[in-house]
Amino acid sequence: MSGVAPGLAAWGMMTGVAMVNSGMSATEAVAMTLLVYAGSSQLAAIPLIAASAPVWVILATSFCVNLRFVVFSAHLRSYVMHLPRPVRLLAGYLATDMSYVLFVRRFPHPPVDSAERQAQFAYLAGGGGLNWLSWQAASLLGIALAQWIPPQWGLGFAGILALIGVTCSLASTPMRRVSAGVAGAAAVAAVALPFNLNSVVAIAAAVALCLLFETPARPPRPRHENE
């Protein structure tokens, strides 16, 4: 995680600044960064909170933005089910896009013995812990310095670059690349919707496309006794 920590730190600082500039108190901003710990969800919810949007709109937007973690969790299930439940809950809290991408690249298959379990858990805990420290330190610094950080520093652009890097890492198949393109086009087409609902439209369009065109795996044909 040390290679991507600076970009994540810039994104975290920008999120901390955005929370304070949206009208949150320092206490509310600190509580959100510690409890929510989801940069994209925070950035989607902050303008809605500032605009006094209905609670269901804020919750629905945050839910849709974080739907990808359902996929991440389903994939990681076979890696962590041997761990106690409190440890699995902590691993889920620490999981992020980059920690997931780097972990599955390092370990493409679940563990088969105790040595592999220990190595994979050490990598997952180390990456998640360093990511959490980098994010929280930068976000808390952004909250503390929000009144003195000039907007022309371009921290928002740094966050966008971090998201682009995550997206490119995840777009590893033609279907994923097409769905990303459809989501981007839908977000631009629906940009006039209030409360940033264009992000919800983009996610719904990409999910609908994948459900429509993805071919389910066929079960193996049963063998007969005379074969």
Side-chain angles (χ1 to χ4, degrees), residues 5-80:
L8 294 173
W11 186 11
M13 181 179 290
M14 178 266 299
T15 303
V17 172
M19 286 188 291
V20 175
N21 288 344
S22 69
M24 289 185 179
S25 66
T27 302
E28 292 169 339
V30 170
M32 186 176 194
T33 192
L34 292 175
L35 297 177
V36 178
Y37 184 49
S40 55
S41 181
Q42 288 176 251
L43 292 177
I46 287 170
L48 300 178
I49 296 174
S52 300
V55 174
W56 72 267
V57 173
I58 300 173
L59 294 178
T61 301
S62 301
F63 176 79
C64 290
V65 169
N66 278 347
L67 271 178
R68 66 193 185 281
F69 285 101
V70 177
V71 180
F72 297 169
S73 299
H75 186 202
L76 291 176
R77 185 179 188 276
S78 56
Y79 289 86
V80 300

Side-chain angles (χ1 to χ4, degrees), residues 200-211:
V200 179
V201 173
I203 295 170
V207 171
L209 177 74
C210 292
L211 293 177

Side-chain angles (χ1 to χ4, degrees), residues 79 82-83 103 106-107 109-124:
Y79 289 86
H82 64 280
L83 298 172
F103 177 79
R106 177 70 176 269
F107 302 104
H109 304 290
V112 296
D113 54 37
S114 58
E116 287 190 6
R117 291 192 185 100
Q118 184 177 6
Q120 292 185 10
F121 177 70
Y123 189 94
L124 186 65

